[in-house]
């Protein structure tokens, strides 16, 4: 089943985010290589693809896991959590409808 993982950034997270980004992306690449990643990306803090120093307000990852507990454990081990980028993370089951 798919799960939506939503991380909410702490204020002024950009420096922490940039420092932890390579390790964060490595984990996403691993999900992608196994065919389990549906989509992933950050939420720009402003209405712009490249928000510059305004940074990001959080991230969305939709990926396939065997259970909610497995998805939560994966989310809890995210380098952004360890680096203090995220103020909180929610994990919810996700039913993909479109595109079919």
């Amino acid at each position: 089943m798919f799960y939506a993982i939503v991380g909410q950034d702490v204020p002024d997270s950009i420096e922490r985010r940039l420092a932890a980004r390579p390790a964060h992306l490595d984990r996403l690449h691993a999900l992608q290589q196994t065919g389990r990643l549906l989509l992933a990306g950050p939420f720009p803090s402003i209405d712009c693809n490249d928000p510059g120093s305004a940074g990001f307000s959080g991230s969305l990852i939709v990926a396939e896991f065997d259970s909610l507990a497995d998805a939560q454990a994966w989310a809890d081990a995210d380098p952004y959590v360890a680096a203090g980028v995220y103020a909180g993370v929610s994990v919810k089951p996700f039913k993909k409808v479109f595109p079919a």
Side-chain angles (χ1 to χ4, degrees):
M1 175 168 207
F2 286 110
Y3 294 88
I5 300 169
V6 179
Q8 296 293 324
D9 282 26
V10 299
D12 302 315
S13 64
I14 192 68
E15 288 185 25
R16 292 178 191 182
R17 182 179 267 274
L18 290 173
R21 189 170 189 261
H24 174 77
L25 293 180
D26 284 348
R27 296 178 82 235
L28 292 172
H29 284 132
L31 283 177
Q32 184 178 28
Q33 289 171 347
T34 59
R36 296 169 40 207
L37 182 63
L38 184 62
L39 64 91
F43 300 117
S45 290
I46 59 175
D47 189 12
C48 180
N49 276 331
D50 183 3
S53 63
F56 299 92
S57 63
S59 302
L60 169 65
I61 299 164
V62 180
E64 188 174 17
F65 294 92
D66 290 335
S67 68
L68 178 58
D70 287 346
Q72 185 68 59
W74 189 92
D76 291 343
D78 193 299
Y80 281 177
V81 171
V85 172
Y86 292 151
V89 178
S90 67
V91 180
K92 296 180 181 184
F94 179 83
K95 182 179 177 182
K96 181 181 177 283
V97 176
F98 290 102

